[in-house]
């Protein structure tokens, strides 16, 4: 199993555990309420979306990564296309971040 699939599996696990919020509104609320440990945006999300979450994460001291496509992120969390998601569990966020950086996800 390659590290990209491991990332997707970890996102699925976090979702099943109720530790993710997906979609722009839910992700934004998670960051602003201090629950998010990691924010992931799709590489094919709009530049405005990536900039908004990048700036928000810098301000709130939350790790931010770009990874995969909207369809891939959506499928990983059992929904339709998702441009962004927040992971609210520190251990899972660290594991996902580690796998992403190994697989070429871009950290900002």
């Amino acid at each position: 199993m390659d590290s990209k699939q491991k990332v997707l599996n970890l996102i699925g696990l976090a979702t099943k555990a109720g530790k993710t919020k997906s979609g722009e509104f839910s992700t934004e609320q998670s960051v602003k309420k201090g629950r998010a440990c990691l924010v992931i945006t799709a590489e094919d999300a709009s530049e405005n979306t990536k900039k908004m979450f990048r700036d928000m994460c810098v301000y709130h001291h939350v790790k931010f990564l770009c990874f995969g496509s909207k369809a891939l992120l959506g499928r990983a969390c059992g929904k339709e296309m998702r441009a962004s998601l927040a992971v609210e569990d520190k251990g899972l966020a660290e594991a996902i971040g580690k796998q992403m950086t190994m697989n070429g996800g871009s950290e900002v």
Side-chain angles (χ1 to χ4, degrees), residues 35-62:
R35 295 183 185 144
C37 299
L38 170 67
V39 171
I40 303 165
T41 61
E43 291 171 347
D44 60 347
S46 73
E47 290 303 317
N48 286 340
T49 298
K50 289 190 262 190
K51 182 183 180 337
M52 177 187 74
F53 282 113
R54 183 181 315 116
D55 294 347
M56 188 184 310
C57 288
V58 167
Y59 182 79
H60 290 280
H61 307 289
V62 175

Side-chain angles (χ1 to χ4, degrees), residues 18-21 25-39 56-57 60-63 85-94:
K19 298 296 183 180
T20 62
K21 300 293 181 194
F25 180 78
S26 296
T27 302
E28 182 177 348
Q29 291 302 308
S30 180
V31 172
K32 289 183 176 179
K33 290 180 179 180
R35 295 183 185 144
C37 299
L38 170 67
V39 171
M56 188 184 310
C57 288
H60 290 280
H61 307 289
V62 175
K63 188 171 183 173
L85 66 92
V87 179
E88 296 182 336
D89 180 84
K90 187 175 181 178
L92 286 167
E94 288 174 2

